[in-house]
Amino acid sequence: MKTSDPEIAGDQLPGDEPITAVSVAFDTTIIPGRLRQVVDAVGMPGASALLIGESGTGKSRLAEAAAYELEVRSNGGLHVTVMAPPPNPASGFAAVFGIYFPEILENEAVDGAKEHRIQEPAVLAKRLLRAILDNAEGAEPVIVAPAVHDYHPLAAFLLEQLVRSRKVRVIATAQRLTGAAERMSRDPRVRRVSVGALSLEESDIYVSGILGVTRIAPETLRRWHTATGGNSYALSVLALACERRGLVRRSRGMAWVPPGLDDAPEEFAHFVAETCNERERSTLEMIAQAEPMIETPLLKLLDPVATNSLLERGLIVSRRHPNGDIALEAAHPILAAAVREHISSARRAEICAELFDALDADRLEATQLDTPQQLMRLVVFGLESGKSFPRAWLSQAFAFLRDGADPRLMLRIALELSLGAEPVEAAVAALRAVGFARLLGDVDALEQAFEAIDEILLSPERCGALPAPLHTRLRLLQIEHLFRLGAEIDAVLEMLTELELSIYLSEHVAREMVKTARYLLLSFDGRLRAADDLELGTGSSQDLTVEWVRAPARAISSLILQQQGRLDEAIQTAENARQLSMLGNKASVETIDLQGFCWFFGFWASGSNEAGRQTLDEVEETANADVHTFAYLSGLLETGEALFAIQEGRWRDAAEQAERILEQLRHYDSYGVAPLLHAVHALALAALGESDAATRAYRRALREQRGVSQAVTGFRKRLLLRTQQWLGIGDPLTEAMRVAEWARAEGMALVELEALHNVAIESRLAARSVLARAQELCERIDQPIGEVILAHIEKIVAGGGATDVEEPEVRLLAELGLWLPLPAIGGLSAREREIALFASLGYSARFIADRLHLSVRTVETHLGHVYSKVGVEDRDGLRRWFSNERDLQPRLNGFGGAPERLNRKNG
């Protein structure tokens, strides 16, 4: 089981006997579950096991770890001998066993020289067994025999006899059931253990051990697991190559590499260059460029001798694909990537020309393109080699790729089509190119796409050939681009009005597009009341196209509804918008991930943790490949994860997630989420006690940026108010009143109530003055969040401690994600602060362990440190200490705040 804290690396695992700390300490990359499986297989005297798996799966290391684990357990009762693999398949028994047990080589003098005497196999087997037993000096021998599939027949016979003797424990490894592996497997008492690719969780343990961290960031781990297919050797090379190049970032025990930097390591290319002859390298290059190589015309291009050699050495494999085809491809994705990266442009064009010609000749014989796959292959190879082919192929490829594809390939095809003479096709392609270029952060491609749009709109003839909705969409894209570049909102709105006036009244779809754009731009500029005052259309239209057009604005409207406190309506609105957008073939990569984010945000705003988690999971799992790719490229799913972490009080997770996404979005933030993420980052750092870093993040979060952060500006302000409270900077009371006034002017009832709650926490006297308004707001807000906030304000007005953890309202607030700040505690680590906060609210060690992904033992250990540092004896003392210190302890006045704050606090 993967642990999330270094303190629990030696935790006992389920089973009759624990895996000791000895084996884990000698190699932290060993997967405990796999180790236990092998240890159990050879746990009894005379037991043997055969570990079968592809090259690079870590079989030999696992076999050795199991042998040493058994040796430690036996307290001297076992003696381990680890043999080397045979030098080559033709190696005799002497090369396999003789170096370790020279007694089996009986010599006789012949003409004054010593020569080996040929012995019967059975006699030789007895001598070998005796030599092994003598060498063990009374202990039970354990033999680790790697690569037994390459054993010579006589060596295979000897190993089989050792296994059948039941006097020696044998742990053998093999890539296939040949040689000694086949002979061992005949014995029904030999346990066969399949050692396959590492799962995602196992890869986390393995790579974490290599890099010396607690865990690997999910996005990095997912990329690396996909690139290597979970092959442990490939994972280790990739991780160490990134470390060598200085690409690995570390924070709070987590490691990650920003997207786009972890290319295939050059070690793989060097390996190919050093171990393959020219014919083999050429063959591997062609397979890597064309994989999966299924088509007979392509397979005929391969050198059969080189292909067989590559197959025998495990560099290429044949695999059955889901459609039933047998394909030839590189053994691991990262090997193919490394080969492709080191192919020169001229060589790549040459290979692709050969592949194109072979497929094209086959197409001509068949007189037609049989499958979309064949068409796509021709287009890809044709583009890479500069071959001429019918433009209709590009159009068909564009249509095939709409439901999911490599985004960079899609961008390239869209740009090619945007330069075409047919205006409708060129316009549609340009629209798609803009979306892909934005989400990939490809500024040059984005410029090319807008140049194509400008060319279409500047040509009266081409522009006149466009349907009104398509022409409107192009023009709106130009206006929105100016908005993104910083054009004044009034000027932008005037352009929209001019466009709307130019559209015939009968063109209701085009006019609806303009309304939707106006709503989105006002929201992304932070003018929430102005956006809300627009009429998006009541009810549902009978025209599905109109509903598709409205869907993005409806999703954003859910964010405004959430800030108003109309949470149920907001969640339903966002979910409906997303479902509508996914109908038919109209799903838009530019908006559908945003709609999923808005859906999740509704649960986050209402404090519904479980529903929020399920929603995030569903958005990720149900998205098709194309949309799923962009959901991660845009950073929206990761932003949801960071918000969810801060809701649950997982401050370290929230800080780490925010840091990674912000680095990812530094190049291009397509949705303008950076200020929101800075606010999340600031609050998480403040909760962790990192005051200086939190203050810097707080200041960054104050910077305005058009986009999603402005559409949820009320919630961003809420996060910043909480950060001020945690840090004790500035004048939180005055700032809370200012936010409440802003929210009232914008009609954001929930944001206003939360700001008034902050006012009440800061001053009992102020709490009395805002109570009536809070009661009024509570009536307009969906429950339970409004009632919980109001109950706490009323408790403060009645004389209760604003931060008394003994009060049930404080725990209810925490369950809704509204955490009251910790006292300024010196000497506590970040992890101890997290655990102390949960414990002060009465949560059990098991709950804390599950929430923070720790063991119960680790939680209890941390709690012991907390008790010692704050000078209490148990949880009750901790709760009392928290309540007292929160009310009495002065806070820093980092921004030059109000010196009379403590007096105000007591009314």
Side-chain angles (χ1 to χ4, degrees):
M1 188 176 91
K2 177 72 174 77
T3 64
S4 297
D5 235 43
E7 295 95 334
I8 57 171
D11 276 2
Q12 180 170 329
L13 296 161
D16 295 333
E17 294 184 80
I19 297 299
T20 69
V22 175
S23 58
V24 177
F26 110 82
D27 190 343
T28 57
T29 65
I30 294 295
I31 310 300
R34 294 191 172 202
L35 177 61
R36 182 170 53 249
Q37 186 180 14
V38 180
V39 168
D40 290 345
V42 289
M44 301 299 293
S48 293
L50 176 64
L51 279 56
I52 305 177
E54 293 183 356
S55 175
T57 53
K59 303 180 299 298
S60 297
R61 180 175 295 180
L62 186 59
E64 291 184 36
Y68 290 131
E69 174 69 27
L70 289 168
E71 186 179 46
V72 169
R73 288 185 182 183
S74 71
N75 293 320
L78 295 179
H79 182 273
V80 174
T81 301
V82 179
M83 301 196 305
N88 57 70
S91 301
F93 77 91
V96 175
F97 295 104
I99 189 173
Y100 304 99
F101 310 105
E103 299 88 347
I104 66 171
L105 304 176
E106 183 177 337
N107 299 317
E108 288 188 350
V110 179
D111 296 333
K114 291 187 175 181
E115 294 183 355
H116 299 315
R117 187 177 70 182
I118 298 176
Q119 303 178 61
E120 292 292 329
V123 174
L124 195 58
K126 290 179 181 179
R127 290 179 63 84
L128 176 59
L129 178 59
R130 186 165 59 251
I132 291 173
L133 293 173
D134 290 344
N135 189 56
E137 297 180 344
E140 182 185 0
V142 179
I143 302 296
V144 178
V148 300
H149 58 278
D150 275 344
Y151 274 21
H152 183 274
L154 180 53
F157 171 80
L158 295 177
L159 187 65
E160 179 188 15
Q161 295 309 304
L162 290 179
V163 169
R164 292 186 179 277
S165 73
R166 311 296 284 177
K167 295 180 180 180
V168 178
R169 301 193 205 190
V170 175
I171 309 176
T173 72
Q175 293 182 30
R176 50 189 177 273
L177 283 175
T178 59
E182 188 274 332
R183 298 190 71 119
M184 279 185 68
S185 65
R186 296 176 187 173
D187 189 336
R189 297 169 297 183
V190 173
R191 285 272 300 276
R192 278 190 273 187
V193 179
S194 177
V195 183
L198 299 176
S199 67
L200 202 61
E201 183 180 2
E202 290 173 333
S203 298
D204 193 4
I205 299 171
Y206 181 75
V207 181
S208 296
I210 292 173
L211 296 179
V213 295
T214 303
R215 53 186 173 150
I216 306 300
E219 311 91 82
T220 297
L221 184 66
R222 184 173 56 249
R223 291 197 312 272
W224 288 6
H225 188 267
T226 300
T228 62
N231 182 272
S232 58
Y233 172 75
L235 273 169
S236 65
V237 173
L238 178 56
L240 292 173
C242 289
E243 179 84 312
R244 185 194 70 240
R245 294 160 60 195
L247 302 177
V248 178
R249 313 284 199 267
R250 288 179 171 85
S251 177
R252 303 177 191 86
M254 179 178 285
W256 74 92
V257 173
L261 298 182
D262 43 4
D263 301 326
E266 59 185 14
E267 282 86 343
F268 288 102
H270 290 326
F271 171 78
V272 170
E274 293 169 0
T275 61
C276 297
N277 59 39
E278 185 176 348
R279 294 168 65 186
E280 291 168 344
R281 285 198 301 273
S282 178
T283 300
L284 188 55
E285 287 173 349
M286 182 165 286
I287 293 172
Q289 193 65 40
E291 67 173 4
M293 190 174 275
I294 299 171
E295 303 89 341
T296 301
L298 302 189
L299 293 170
K300 288 180 178 179
L301 296 175
L302 301 178
D303 183 312
V305 175
T307 302
N308 285 332
S309 174
L310 294 171
L311 282 167
E312 290 175 358
R313 290 156 55 196
L315 293 177
I316 61 174
V317 294
S318 58
R319 292 193 178 103
R320 185 177 296 277
H321 278 235
N323 63 1
D325 292 329
I326 301 296
L328 201 62
E329 54 192 43
H332 307 294
I334 198 166
L335 175 62
V339 171
R340 287 193 295 268
E341 285 180 15
H342 287 79
I343 299 175
S344 67
S345 300
R347 173 62 177 153
R348 180 178 292 106
E350 178 186 343
I351 292 173
C352 288
E354 288 185 67
L355 296 169
F356 180 91
D357 289 342
L359 284 180
D360 196 36
D362 184 60
R363 175 189 68 84
L364 292 173
E365 291 179 10
T367 70
Q368 62 179 359
L369 291 169
D370 293 330
T371 63
Q373 179 187 11
Q374 187 180 18
L375 169 69
M376 285 305 310
R377 305 275 270 175
L378 281 164
V379 168
V380 171
F381 298 145
L383 288 174
E384 286 287 350
S385 61
K387 289 280 187 178
S388 298
F389 53 85
R391 189 169 184 82
W393 291 6
L394 275 177
S395 303
Q396 293 177 57
F398 185 68
F400 290 145
L401 286 173
R402 289 180 69 86
D403 292 330
D406 173 3
R408 297 195 179 277
L409 174 61
M410 190 65 181
L411 174 59
R412 181 170 183 179
I413 293 177
L415 286 174
E416 290 281 343
L417 282 173
S418 70
L419 303 176
E422 207 287 308
V424 171
E425 181 181 73
V428 172
L431 287 171
R432 295 281 283 171
V434 168
F436 279 88
R438 278 179 174 166
L439 289 166
L440 286 168
D442 192 330
V443 178
D444 292 337
L446 185 63
E447 185 177 347
Q448 292 178 45
F450 272 107
E451 286 176 357
I453 291 174
D454 293 343
E455 184 179 339
I456 293 170
L457 293 178
L458 289 173
S459 168
E461 182 180 351
R462 301 185 75 193
C463 190
L466 299 178
L470 186 53
H471 173 270
T472 302
R473 184 70 187 94
L474 292 179
R475 186 71 187 102
L476 286 173
L477 203 58
Q478 286 182 322
I479 295 171
E480 186 236 356
H481 189 55
L482 292 173
F483 174 80
R484 284 174 178 252
L485 294 176
E488 290 292 332
I489 184 64
D490 291 338
V492 170
L493 294 175
E494 186 176 345
M495 292 179 203
L496 291 177
T497 300
E498 291 176 0
L499 176 59
E500 188 173 25
L501 292 174
S502 70
I503 301 172
Y504 291 115
L505 292 176
S506 59
E507 296 290 350
H508 59 285
V509 173
R511 297 178 70 84
E512 199 68 41
M513 286 180 173
V514 178
K515 290 181 182 179
T516 295
R518 184 178 285 109
Y519 189 98
L520 290 172
L521 296 184
L522 282 169
S523 301
F524 288 159
D525 196 54
R527 300 192 179 190
L528 304 187
R529 180 178 281 280
D532 191 48
D533 288 342
L534 296 177
E535 292 185 5
L536 286 176
T538 58
S540 298
S541 170
Q542 298 299 313
D543 188 338
L544 187 57
T545 303
V546 171
E547 288 303 308
W548 279 329
V549 169
R550 291 174 178 171
R554 288 199 190 280
I556 296 301
S557 76
S558 74
L559 298 178
I560 295 177
L561 290 170
Q562 291 158 25
Q563 294 168 89
Q564 292 171 344
R566 297 156 64 184
L567 299 167
D568 295 338
E569 182 183 351
I571 291 169
Q572 192 62 57
T573 297
E575 184 178 9
N576 290 345
R578 181 170 179 270
Q579 290 177 346
L580 274 172
S581 293
M582 296 178 71
L583 290 176
N585 63 352
K586 297 293 184 180
S588 168
V589 297
E590 296 99 320
T591 59
I592 197 168
D593 50 342
L594 178 59
Q595 291 157 18
F597 176 78
C598 295
W599 183 31
F600 156 78
F601 215 104
F603 292 110
W604 179 85
S606 64
S608 303
N609 291 347
E610 185 59 34
R613 164 53 58 200
Q614 292 174 1
T615 302
L616 269 184
D617 290 344
E618 183 174 337
V619 169
E620 181 175 354
E621 291 172 5
T622 61
N624 61 46
D626 190 28
V627 175
H628 178 78
T629 298
F630 280 100
Y632 280 104
L633 286 172
S634 67
L636 287 176
L637 275 178
E638 289 92 340
T639 300
E641 293 284 359
L643 286 163
F644 187 68
I646 211 165
Q647 185 92 315
E648 289 196 322
R650 294 183 287 110
W651 310 107
R652 289 209 312 181
D653 291 349
E656 291 162 358
Q657 188 81 347
E659 287 166 8
R660 294 195 304 276
I661 312 167
L662 285 167
E663 184 170 7
Q664 172 184 330
L665 298 179
R666 187 181 301 168
H667 174 57
Y668 196 86
D669 180 6
S670 59
Y671 284 119
V673 296
L676 175 63
L677 278 167
H678 282 304
V680 170
H681 194 209
L683 180 53
L685 291 173
L688 293 172
E690 301 180 26
S691 300
D692 291 343
T695 301
R696 289 193 295 270
Y698 176 88
R699 290 183 173 127
R700 294 189 189 103
L702 294 174
R703 301 170 187 168
E704 303 293 347
Q705 180 181 343
R706 287 171 169 173
V708 170
S709 293
Q710 287 291 76
V712 294
T713 189
F715 290 136
R716 180 165 58 93
K717 291 175 184 292
R718 178 188 105 179
L719 292 171
L720 292 175
L721 280 177
R722 298 288 176 183
T723 302
Q724 274 192 276
Q725 285 186 319
W726 280 83
L727 291 176
I729 57 177
D731 184 356
L733 177 62
T734 301
E735 185 60 29
M737 292 295 292
R738 187 180 296 118
V739 172
E741 291 169 6
W742 171 88
R744 186 168 190 166
E746 292 289 323
M748 306 293 116
L750 179 55
V751 176
E752 184 182 355
L753 179 60
E754 290 175 339
L756 295 180
H757 181 226
N758 278 44
V759 169
I761 292 172
E762 294 301 315
S763 165
R764 184 174 296 130
L765 180 62
R768 296 189 188 106
S769 68
V770 302
L771 177 58
R773 177 61 179 171
Q775 291 169 335
E776 178 186 343
L777 290 169
C778 185
E779 296 297 321
R780 293 156 51 184
I781 294 170
D782 292 343
Q783 305 311 324
I785 190 167
E787 291 177 345
V788 173
I789 293 174
L790 177 61
H792 192 228
I793 295 174
E794 291 174 338
K795 183 65 67 71
I796 294 170
V797 171
T803 55
D804 187 353
V805 294
E806 299 286 352
E807 299 289 350
E809 290 81 8
V810 174
R811 177 158 171 169
L812 288 172
L813 287 167
E815 290 176 355
L816 293 170
L818 302 175
W819 300 84
L820 298 182
L822 281 167
I825 312 169
L828 290 190
S829 70
R831 180 64 85 194
E832 288 166 352
R833 289 174 65 87
E834 284 184 309
I835 291 173
L837 181 56
F838 280 110
S840 73
L841 293 170
Y843 290 102
S844 68
R846 169 54 63 189
F847 176 92
I848 300 171
D850 291 343
R851 175 64 62 88
L852 300 180
H853 308 295
L854 303 173
S855 73
V856 174
R857 187 181 72 183
T858 299
V859 171
E860 295 289 0
T861 299
H862 281 309
L863 274 176
H865 295 159
V866 171
Y867 298 155
S868 175
K869 290 178 180 180
V870 302
V872 299
E873 296 182 355
D874 53 24
R875 284 171 176 264
D876 289 338
L878 185 66
R879 283 196 291 272
R880 288 191 297 271
W881 184 89
F882 261 69
S883 297
N884 292 335
E885 289 297 313
R886 272 176 163 158
D887 275 341
L888 299 177
Q889 190 166 12
R891 303 181 190 175
L892 297 176
N893 209 10
F895 285 174
E900 301 300 323
R901 182 174 174 203
L902 294 180
N903 293 331
R904 290 200 314 270
K905 200 168 189 67
N906 293 319

